[in-house]
Amino acid sequence: MQFKTLEFTGDCLRLIDQTKLPRVTQYLDCSTVSDVFQAIRALVVRGAPAIGVAAAYGMVIATRKEEFSSSSELLKALEKSGEYLKSCRPTAINLAWAVERMLGVVKGNLQSPPGEIITLLETEARAIEDEDKAMCRKIGEIGETLIEDNSSILTHCNAGALATAGIGTALAVIYVAHEKGKNIRVYADETRPLWQGARLTCWELQQEGIEVTLICDNMAASLFLAGKIDAVIVGADRVTANGDVANKIGTYNVAVLAEKHGVPFYVAIPRTTIDDDLHSGDDIPIEQRDPTEVSEPGGRPIAPENIKIYSPAFDVTPNSMITAIITDEKIWKGGRWGK
Amino acid sequence: MQFKTLEFTGDCLRLIDQTKLPRVTQYLDCSTVSDVFQAIRALVVRGAPAIGVAAAYGMVIATRKEEFSSSSELLKALEKSGEYLKSCRPTAINLAWAVERMLGVVKGNLQSPPGEIITLLETEARAIEDEDKAMCRKIGEIGETLIEDNSSILTHCNAGALATAGIGTALAVIYVAHEKGKNIRVYADETRPLWQGARLTCWELQQEGIEVTLICDNMAASLFLAGKIDAVIVGADRVTANGDVANKIGTYNVAVLAEKHGVPFYVAIPRTTIDDDLHSGDDIPIEQRDPTEVSEPGGRPIAPENIKIYSPAFDVTPNSMITAIITDEKIWKGGRWGK
């Protein structure tokens, strides 16, 4: 990749500042736990996998500017840092998972001196990053087999390198297809209300030299009608046991368009995104976002005051409308996952 | 209505300034032809029927500050004013139509003195306004019969009072249903890139006390899936002889959603919007708009520089997906119009 979403230098975590993209490419160095906390909260780094990796390095950074007289003192300090990091985006499941995994290293090595545990922690954080990179690569390699040469692919939101430590999930499929010499054109939905498609997906594909065209969300339909879309690939926030997919609002709209026009609709995710405890999409509560994201885009009001606004964070696409779910393990076409 | 889109005072044309809505309600008085020209060009007044009425009054205003020694001198002056007005939005068919109709009054009365012709011109402009109001009312009365009590209706863009001299076209159906005591809730698509739904439709429905909820264009699909939309009503820019409908980009997307979820999809238009010379939607060229409307909403960049953008002004919905076309003459369900 031409850019690094995150990079650990040994002393600090260097993040590409995603709040400044796409017009300004600026890196932010986090050298304290508080820096990491602020960066995650302010969406300098976003995307579940990337947040997990950032939090793991945050736990390493927490060991840097203190002296620990015992391993139990180290554990106590890291438990405090971990609680603090977890509180910055409470619903980000990878964040809590990474913190707990790092704490597990301390708990499993309490017989060792603090210096040794700190080395193990750095190794663990690098392992989390490497696993994330490998996961992205596998999704790309597996998914790429579904993509035909000379394809135009529509994507929604950003499930790209900027959301992971590696080459992304949905966009991994595109990057690997491109690497293998396939001629790929991408249409990127702008993705209202927060424009992740316009701001992030367009930026990273442009960086990588992949042809990308920006459209408003309501323009995709006319492209489908004109036969200009050959496949859809999106990521997902959560997949239920029956294969229903919760993803950024507007994903279901794209699925309806794909179905109507006979275009394959693919979802690319790490296996860990599948929540076996939830039977179907009906079990997922739909979170409402801050209405001013709709009524005041970029801080400028576009609607009258006191207007009612409906702004769900995501929608649920039924499994029956999904051609295949691509994971880092296999391609899943219908049926109950893993059973 | 609680507001007037336009009003002729005898000396000047008073327009609600639609570029200032929805947060500022301000009226602009046009007392010269140049004022009217600037107002139409700057979209202070927009919507084909409203532009036609504004241009008719512009022709009256053209007679106000000059002395005419003969009717042929008056004709010469008005032909010049008419050419000038027509040039400000060359594709606005109602503009040219209104100008020609006003010139017809002069040409048909060249034997009369200039003062008498000027009186006839004012009468003609008022007739154009009154006909537009009557057309809106008829669309509303005819279309209202299709709307059930306790309905939630989705609309796209603004086909409302702000686009006409009367109560609108698509929104006329809603206003009349509301007048008749039906309990109507409206969902308004924001309508990217220029947000006419958020800025104008929300504003005018709120003014009239009709419950309205703003959504981003990509959120409608989840409302359909949840069974929260009972009908769709939109306007149209152009309807071809076979009943295909060209309207603001995103309309076809809504039609696909309505079809998928078994919800009726209505188009409300004046009979004059039907272009019998065009056989089908395939005959309509798709105009591309300024790409910065997509990439720099409200003047603030949301996309990287040098990104490709696809921004069609409208899309075409095939007649087979339209439940009924409501005109000021009748409800048209399928088949070739008027034949």
mmCIF file with all atom_site columns, all heavy atoms in Angstrom, chain A residues 203-221:
data_model
loop_
_atom_site.group_PDB
_atom_site.id
_atom_site.type_symbol
_atom_site.label_atom_id
_atom_site.label_alt_id
_atom_site.label_comp_id
_atom_site.label_asym_id
_atom_site.label_entity_id
_atom_site.label_seq_id
_atom_site.pdbx_PDB_ins_code
_atom_site.Cartn_x
_atom_site.Cartn_y
_atom_site.Cartn_z
_atom_site.occupancy
_atom_site.B_iso_or_equiv
_atom_site.pdbx_formal_charge
_atom_site.auth_seq_id
_atom_site.auth_comp_id
_atom_site.auth_asym_id
_atom_site.auth_atom_id
_atom_site.pdbx_PDB_model_num
ATOM 1   N N   . TRP A 1 203 ? -10.393 8.025  -1.606  1.00 0.00 ? 203 TRP A N   1
ATOM 2   C CA  . TRP A 1 203 ? -9.004  8.398  -1.338  1.00 0.00 ? 203 TRP A CA  1
ATOM 3   C C   . TRP A 1 203 ? -8.079  7.186  -1.443  1.00 0.00 ? 203 TRP A C   1
ATOM 4   O O   . TRP A 1 203 ? -7.067  7.219  -2.131  1.00 0.00 ? 203 TRP A O   1
ATOM 5   C CB  . TRP A 1 203 ? -8.885  9.047  0.050   1.00 0.00 ? 203 TRP A CB  1
ATOM 6   C CG  . TRP A 1 203 ? -7.496  9.503  0.363   1.00 0.00 ? 203 TRP A CG  1
ATOM 7   C CD1 . TRP A 1 203 ? -6.921  10.692 0.001   1.00 0.00 ? 203 TRP A CD1 1
ATOM 8   C CD2 . TRP A 1 203 ? -6.484  8.776  1.080   1.00 0.00 ? 203 TRP A CD2 1
ATOM 9   N NE1 . TRP A 1 203 ? -5.632  10.755 0.457   1.00 0.00 ? 203 TRP A NE1 1
ATOM 10  C CE2 . TRP A 1 203 ? -5.334  9.595  1.120   1.00 0.00 ? 203 TRP A CE2 1
ATOM 11  C CE3 . TRP A 1 203 ? -6.440  7.521  1.691   1.00 0.00 ? 203 TRP A CE3 1
ATOM 12  C CZ2 . TRP A 1 203 ? -4.151  9.192  1.750   1.00 0.00 ? 203 TRP A CZ2 1
ATOM 13  C CZ3 . TRP A 1 203 ? -5.269  7.126  2.313   1.00 0.00 ? 203 TRP A CZ3 1
ATOM 14  C CH2 . TRP A 1 203 ? -4.132  7.946  2.345   1.00 0.00 ? 203 TRP A CH2 1
ATOM 15  N N   . GLU A 1 204 ? -8.429  6.088  -0.753  1.00 0.00 ? 204 GLU A N   1
ATOM 16  C CA  . GLU A 1 204 ? -7.473  4.981  -0.732  1.00 0.00 ? 204 GLU A CA  1
ATOM 17  C C   . GLU A 1 204 ? -7.377  4.273  -2.076  1.00 0.00 ? 204 GLU A C   1
ATOM 18  O O   . GLU A 1 204 ? -6.283  3.846  -2.468  1.00 0.00 ? 204 GLU A O   1
ATOM 19  C CB  . GLU A 1 204 ? -7.697  4.024  0.452   1.00 0.00 ? 204 GLU A CB  1
ATOM 20  C CG  . GLU A 1 204 ? -8.966  3.209  0.464   1.00 0.00 ? 204 GLU A CG  1
ATOM 21  C CD  . GLU A 1 204 ? -8.906  2.103  1.532   1.00 0.00 ? 204 GLU A CD  1
ATOM 22  O OE1 . GLU A 1 204 ? -8.427  0.984  1.213   1.00 0.00 ? 204 GLU A OE1 1
ATOM 23  O OE2 . GLU A 1 204 ? -9.351  2.346  2.650   1.00 0.00 ? 204 GLU A OE2 1
ATOM 24  N N   . LEU A 1 205 ? -8.476  4.167  -2.808  1.00 0.00 ? 205 LEU A N   1
ATOM 25  C CA  . LEU A 1 205 ? -8.395  3.546  -4.133  1.00 0.00 ? 205 LEU A CA  1
ATOM 26  C C   . LEU A 1 205 ? -7.575  4.418  -5.085  1.00 0.00 ? 205 LEU A C   1
ATOM 27  O O   . LEU A 1 205 ? -6.787  3.912  -5.895  1.00 0.00 ? 205 LEU A O   1
ATOM 28  C CB  . LEU A 1 205 ? -9.800  3.296  -4.693  1.00 0.00 ? 205 LEU A CB  1
ATOM 29  C CG  . LEU A 1 205 ? -10.600 2.202  -3.975  1.00 0.00 ? 205 LEU A CG  1
ATOM 30  C CD1 . LEU A 1 205 ? -12.046 2.180  -4.476  1.00 0.00 ? 205 LEU A CD1 1
ATOM 31  C CD2 . LEU A 1 205 ? -9.976  0.819  -4.147  1.00 0.00 ? 205 LEU A CD2 1
ATOM 32  N N   . GLN A 1 206 ? -7.753  5.718  -4.962  1.00 0.00 ? 206 GLN A N   1
ATOM 33  C CA  . GLN A 1 206 ? -6.968  6.645  -5.787  1.00 0.00 ? 206 GLN A CA  1
ATOM 34  C C   . GLN A 1 206 ? -5.464  6.509  -5.472  1.00 0.00 ? 206 GLN A C   1
ATOM 35  O O   . GLN A 1 206 ? -4.630  6.464  -6.374  1.00 0.00 ? 206 GLN A O   1
ATOM 36  C CB  . GLN A 1 206 ? -7.440  8.074  -5.514  1.00 0.00 ? 206 GLN A CB  1
ATOM 37  C CG  . GLN A 1 206 ? -6.921  9.113  -6.489  1.00 0.00 ? 206 GLN A CG  1
ATOM 38  C CD  . GLN A 1 206 ? -7.328  10.526 -6.078  1.00 0.00 ? 206 GLN A CD  1
ATOM 39  O OE1 . GLN A 1 206 ? -7.120  10.935 -4.936  1.00 0.00 ? 206 GLN A OE1 1
ATOM 40  N NE2 . GLN A 1 206 ? -7.909  11.271 -6.997  1.00 0.00 ? 206 GLN A NE2 1
ATOM 41  N N   . GLN A 1 207 ? -5.136  6.399  -4.169  1.00 0.00 ? 207 GLN A N   1
ATOM 42  C CA  . GLN A 1 207 ? -3.737  6.211  -3.757  1.00 0.00 ? 207 GLN A CA  1
ATOM 43  C C   . GLN A 1 207 ? -3.129  4.974  -4.404  1.00 0.00 ? 207 GLN A C   1
ATOM 44  O O   . GLN A 1 207 ? -1.950  4.946  -4.747  1.00 0.00 ? 207 GLN A O   1
ATOM 45  C CB  . GLN A 1 207 ? -3.649  6.038  -2.225  1.00 0.00 ? 207 GLN A CB  1
ATOM 46  C CG  . GLN A 1 207 ? -4.011  7.263  -1.413  1.00 0.00 ? 207 GLN A CG  1
ATOM 47  C CD  . GLN A 1 207 ? -2.996  8.365  -1.540  1.00 0.00 ? 207 GLN A CD  1
ATOM 48  O OE1 . GLN A 1 207 ? -1.806  8.116  -1.407  1.00 0.00 ? 207 GLN A OE1 1
ATOM 49  N NE2 . GLN A 1 207 ? -3.440  9.573  -1.830  1.00 0.00 ? 207 GLN A NE2 1
ATOM 50  N N   . GLU A 1 208 ? -3.955  3.926  -4.531  1.00 0.00 ? 208 GLU A N   1
ATOM 51  C CA  . GLU A 1 208 ? -3.464  2.644  -5.037  1.00 0.00 ? 208 GLU A CA  1
ATOM 52  C C   . GLU A 1 208 ? -3.578  2.523  -6.554  1.00 0.00 ? 208 GLU A C   1
ATOM 53  O O   . GLU A 1 208 ? -3.330  1.452  -7.111  1.00 0.00 ? 208 GLU A O   1
ATOM 54  C CB  . GLU A 1 208 ? -4.208  1.495  -4.354  1.00 0.00 ? 208 GLU A CB  1
ATOM 55  C CG  . GLU A 1 208 ? -4.000  1.444  -2.846  1.00 0.00 ? 208 GLU A CG  1
ATOM 56  C CD  . GLU A 1 208 ? -2.525  1.337  -2.459  1.00 0.00 ? 208 GLU A CD  1
ATOM 57  O OE1 . GLU A 1 208 ? -1.847  0.428  -2.969  1.00 0.00 ? 208 GLU A OE1 1
ATOM 58  O OE2 . GLU A 1 208 ? -2.045  2.173  -1.676  1.00 0.00 ? 208 GLU A OE2 1
ATOM 59  N N   . GLY A 1 209 ? -4.000  3.597  -7.185  1.00 0.00 ? 209 GLY A N   1
ATOM 60  C CA  . GLY A 1 209 ? -4.053  3.596  -8.642  1.00 0.00 ? 209 GLY A CA  1
ATOM 61  C C   . GLY A 1 209 ? -5.178  2.771  -9.234  1.00 0.00 ? 209 GLY A C   1
ATOM 62  O O   . GLY A 1 209 ? -5.082  2.280  -10.365 1.00 0.00 ? 209 GLY A O   1
ATOM 63  N N   . ILE A 1 210 ? -6.248  2.606  -8.475  1.00 0.00 ? 210 ILE A N   1
ATOM 64  C CA  . ILE A 1 210 ? -7.413  1.875  -8.991  1.00 0.00 ? 210 ILE A CA  1
ATOM 65  C C   . ILE A 1 210 ? -8.464  2.884  -9.444  1.00 0.00 ? 210 ILE A C   1
ATOM 66  O O   . ILE A 1 210 ? -8.763  3.844  -8.724  1.00 0.00 ? 210 ILE A O   1
ATOM 67  C CB  . ILE A 1 210 ? -7.965  0.917  -7.917  1.00 0.00 ? 210 ILE A CB  1
ATOM 68  C CG1 . ILE A 1 210 ? -6.931  -0.183 -7.684  1.00 0.00 ? 210 ILE A CG1 1
ATOM 69  C CG2 . ILE A 1 210 ? -9.318  0.345  -8.332  1.00 0.00 ? 210 ILE A CG2 1
ATOM 70  C CD1 . ILE A 1 210 ? -7.225  -1.087 -6.533  1.00 0.00 ? 210 ILE A CD1 1
ATOM 71  N N   . GLU A 1 211 ? -9.000  2.661  -10.635 1.00 0.00 ? 211 GLU A N   1
ATOM 72  C CA  . GLU A 1 211 ? -9.968  3.612  -11.192 1.00 0.00 ? 211 GLU A CA  1
ATOM 73  C C   . GLU A 1 211 ? -11.224 3.639  -10.330 1.00 0.00 ? 211 GLU A C   1
ATOM 74  O O   . GLU A 1 211 ? -11.867 2.610  -10.108 1.00 0.00 ? 211 GLU A O   1
ATOM 75  C CB  . GLU A 1 211 ? -10.337 3.206  -12.631 1.00 0.00 ? 211 GLU A CB  1
ATOM 76  C CG  . GLU A 1 211 ? -11.256 4.225  -13.287 1.00 0.00 ? 211 GLU A CG  1
ATOM 77  C CD  . GLU A 1 211 ? -11.689 3.832  -14.689 1.00 0.00 ? 211 GLU A CD  1
ATOM 78  O OE1 . GLU A 1 211 ? -10.947 3.106  -15.381 1.00 0.00 ? 211 GLU A OE1 1
ATOM 79  O OE2 . GLU A 1 211 ? -12.787 4.248  -15.085 1.00 0.00 ? 211 GLU A OE2 1
ATOM 80  N N   . VAL A 1 212 ? -11.568 4.825  -9.840  1.00 0.00 ? 212 VAL A N   1
ATOM 81  C CA  . VAL A 1 212 ? -12.733 4.932  -8.964  1.00 0.00 ? 212 VAL A CA  1
ATOM 82  C C   . VAL A 1 212 ? -13.563 6.144  -9.367  1.00 0.00 ? 212 VAL A C   1
ATOM 83  O O   . VAL A 1 212 ? -13.025 7.198  -9.713  1.00 0.00 ? 212 VAL A O   1
ATOM 84  C CB  . VAL A 1 212 ? -12.313 4.995  -7.470  1.00 0.00 ? 212 VAL A CB  1
ATOM 85  C CG1 . VAL A 1 212 ? -11.312 6.101  -7.212  1.00 0.00 ? 212 VAL A CG1 1
ATOM 86  C CG2 . VAL A 1 212 ? -13.526 5.134  -6.545  1.00 0.00 ? 212 VAL A CG2 1
ATOM 87  N N   . THR A 1 213 ? -14.872 5.968  -9.350  1.00 0.00 ? 213 THR A N   1
ATOM 88  C CA  . THR A 1 213 ? -15.813 7.039  -9.679  1.00 0.00 ? 213 THR A CA  1
ATOM 89  C C   . THR A 1 213 ? -16.750 7.233  -8.496  1.00 0.00 ? 213 THR A C   1
ATOM 90  O O   . THR A 1 213 ? -17.362 6.283  -8.011  1.00 0.00 ? 213 THR A O   1
ATOM 91  C CB  . THR A 1 213 ? -16.630 6.670  -10.945 1.00 0.00 ? 213 THR A CB  1
ATOM 92  O OG1 . THR A 1 213 ? -15.721 6.467  -12.030 1.00 0.00 ? 213 THR A OG1 1
ATOM 93  C CG2 . THR A 1 213 ? -17.609 7.773  -11.302 1.00 0.00 ? 213 THR A CG2 1
ATOM 94  N N   . LEU A 1 214 ? -16.848 8.466  -8.054  1.00 0.00 ? 214 LEU A N   1
ATOM 95  C CA  . LEU A 1 214 ? -17.726 8.808  -6.932  1.00 0.00 ? 214 LEU A CA  1
ATOM 96  C C   . LEU A 1 214 ? -19.142 9.073  -7.430  1.00 0.00 ? 214 LEU A C   1
ATOM 97  O O   . LEU A 1 214 ? -19.331 9.754  -8.438  1.00 0.00 ? 214 LEU A O   1
ATOM 98  C CB  . LEU A 1 214 ? -17.176 10.058 -6.233  1.00 0.00 ? 214 LEU A CB  1
ATOM 99  C CG  . LEU A 1 214 ? -18.050 10.691 -5.141  1.00 0.00 ? 214 LEU A CG  1
ATOM 100 C CD1 . LEU A 1 214 ? -18.264 9.728  -3.973  1.00 0.00 ? 214 LEU A CD1 1
ATOM 101 C CD2 . LEU A 1 214 ? -17.417 12.006 -4.666  1.00 0.00 ? 214 LEU A CD2 1
ATOM 102 N N   . ILE A 1 215 ? -20.120 8.529  -6.703  1.00 0.00 ? 215 ILE A N   1
ATOM 103 C CA  . ILE A 1 215 ? -21.530 8.842  -6.993  1.00 0.00 ? 215 ILE A CA  1
ATOM 104 C C   . ILE A 1 215 ? -22.253 9.148  -5.684  1.00 0.00 ? 215 ILE A C   1
ATOM 105 O O   . ILE A 1 215 ? -21.827 8.716  -4.613  1.00 0.00 ? 215 ILE A O   1
ATOM 106 C CB  . ILE A 1 215 ? -22.262 7.679  -7.714  1.00 0.00 ? 215 ILE A CB  1
ATOM 107 C CG1 . ILE A 1 215 ? -22.173 6.375  -6.880  1.00 0.00 ? 215 ILE A CG1 1
ATOM 108 C CG2 . ILE A 1 215 ? -21.715 7.466  -9.106  1.00 0.00 ? 215 ILE A CG2 1
ATOM 109 C CD1 . ILE A 1 215 ? -23.047 5.253  -7.439  1.00 0.00 ? 215 ILE A CD1 1
ATOM 110 N N   . CYS A 1 216 ? -23.347 9.895  -5.777  1.00 0.00 ? 216 CYS A N   1
ATOM 111 C CA  . CYS A 1 216 ? -24.254 10.007 -4.636  1.00 0.00 ? 216 CYS A CA  1
ATOM 112 C C   . CYS A 1 216 ? -24.988 8.671  -4.496  1.00 0.00 ? 216 CYS A C   1
ATOM 113 O O   . CYS A 1 216 ? -25.165 7.941  -5.471  1.00 0.00 ? 216 CYS A O   1
ATOM 114 C CB  . CYS A 1 216 ? -25.267 11.129 -4.850  1.00 0.00 ? 216 CYS A CB  1
ATOM 115 S SG  . CYS A 1 216 ? -24.530 12.766 -4.883  1.00 0.00 ? 216 CYS A SG  1
ATOM 116 N N   . ASP A 1 217 ? -25.417 8.383  -3.256  1.00 0.00 ? 217 ASP A N   1
ATOM 117 C CA  . ASP A 1 217 ? -26.060 7.092  -3.001  1.00 0.00 ? 217 ASP A CA  1
ATOM 118 C C   . ASP A 1 217 ? -27.252 6.851  -3.930  1.00 0.00 ? 217 ASP A C   1
ATOM 119 O O   . ASP A 1 217 ? -27.516 5.718  -4.318  1.00 0.00 ? 217 ASP A O   1
ATOM 120 C CB  . ASP A 1 217 ? -26.518 7.029  -1.544  1.00 0.00 ? 217 ASP A CB  1
ATOM 121 C CG  . ASP A 1 217 ? -25.348 7.164  -0.571  1.00 0.00 ? 217 ASP A CG  1
ATOM 122 O OD1 . ASP A 1 217 ? -24.271 6.602  -0.854  1.00 0.00 ? 217 ASP A OD1 1
ATOM 123 O OD2 . ASP A 1 217 ? -25.503 7.836  0.460   1.00 0.00 ? 217 ASP A OD2 1
ATOM 124 N N   . ASN A 1 218 ? -27.961 7.924  -4.272  1.00 0.00 ? 218 ASN A N   1
ATOM 125 C CA  . ASN A 1 218 ? -29.179 7.740  -5.082  1.00 0.00 ? 218 ASN A CA  1
ATOM 126 C C   . ASN A 1 218 ? -28.896 7.579  -6.581  1.00 0.00 ? 218 ASN A C   1
ATOM 127 O O   . ASN A 1 218 ? -29.838 7.468  -7.368  1.00 0.00 ? 218 ASN A O   1
ATOM 128 C CB  . ASN A 1 218 ? -30.167 8.884  -4.822  1.00 0.00 ? 218 ASN A CB  1
ATOM 129 C CG  . ASN A 1 218 ? -29.677 10.226 -5.311  1.00 0.00 ? 218 ASN A CG  1
ATOM 130 O OD1 . ASN A 1 218 ? -28.862 10.312 -6.227  1.00 0.00 ? 218 ASN A OD1 1
ATOM 131 N ND2 . ASN A 1 218 ? -30.173 11.297 -4.711  1.00 0.00 ? 218 ASN A ND2 1
ATOM 132 N N   . MET A 1 219 ? -27.628 7.596  -6.970  1.00 0.00 ? 219 MET A N   1
ATOM 133 C CA  . MET A 1 219 ? -27.283 7.479  -8.397  1.00 0.00 ? 219 MET A CA  1
ATOM 134 C C   . MET A 1 219 ? -26.965 6.048  -8.827  1.00 0.00 ? 219 MET A C   1
ATOM 135 O O   . MET A 1 219 ? -26.907 5.756  -10.025 1.00 0.00 ? 219 MET A O   1
ATOM 136 C CB  . MET A 1 219 ? -26.088 8.384  -8.716  1.00 0.00 ? 219 MET A CB  1
ATOM 137 C CG  . MET A 1 219 ? -26.413 9.861  -8.565  1.00 0.00 ? 219 MET A CG  1
ATOM 138 S SD  . MET A 1 219 ? -24.942 10.916 -8.588  1.00 0.00 ? 219 MET A SD  1
ATOM 139 C CE  . MET A 1 219 ? -25.692 12.529 -8.263  1.00 0.00 ? 219 MET A CE  1
ATOM 140 N N   . ALA A 1 220 ? -26.729 5.160  -7.845  1.00 0.00 ? 220 ALA A N   1
ATOM 141 C CA  . ALA A 1 220 ? -26.355 3.785  -8.182  1.00 0.00 ? 220 ALA A CA  1
ATOM 142 C C   . ALA A 1 220 ? -27.429 3.105  -9.030  1.00 0.00 ? 220 ALA A C   1
ATOM 143 O O   . ALA A 1 220 ? -27.120 2.357  -9.962  1.00 0.00 ? 220 ALA A O   1
ATOM 144 C CB  . ALA A 1 220 ? -26.093 2.983  -6.910  1.00 0.00 ? 220 ALA A CB  1
ATOM 145 N N   . ALA A 1 221 ? -28.697 3.380  -8.702  1.00 0.00 ? 221 ALA A N   1
ATOM 146 C CA  . ALA A 1 221 ? -29.794 2.697  -9.394  1.00 0.00 ? 221 ALA A CA  1
ATOM 147 C C   . ALA A 1 221 ? -29.710 2.896  -10.903 1.00 0.00 ? 221 ALA A C   1
ATOM 148 O O   . ALA A 1 221 ? -29.897 1.956  -11.675 1.00 0.00 ? 221 ALA A O   1
ATOM 149 C CB  . ALA A 1 221 ? -31.139 3.195  -8.861  1.00 0.00 ? 221 ALA A CB  1
#
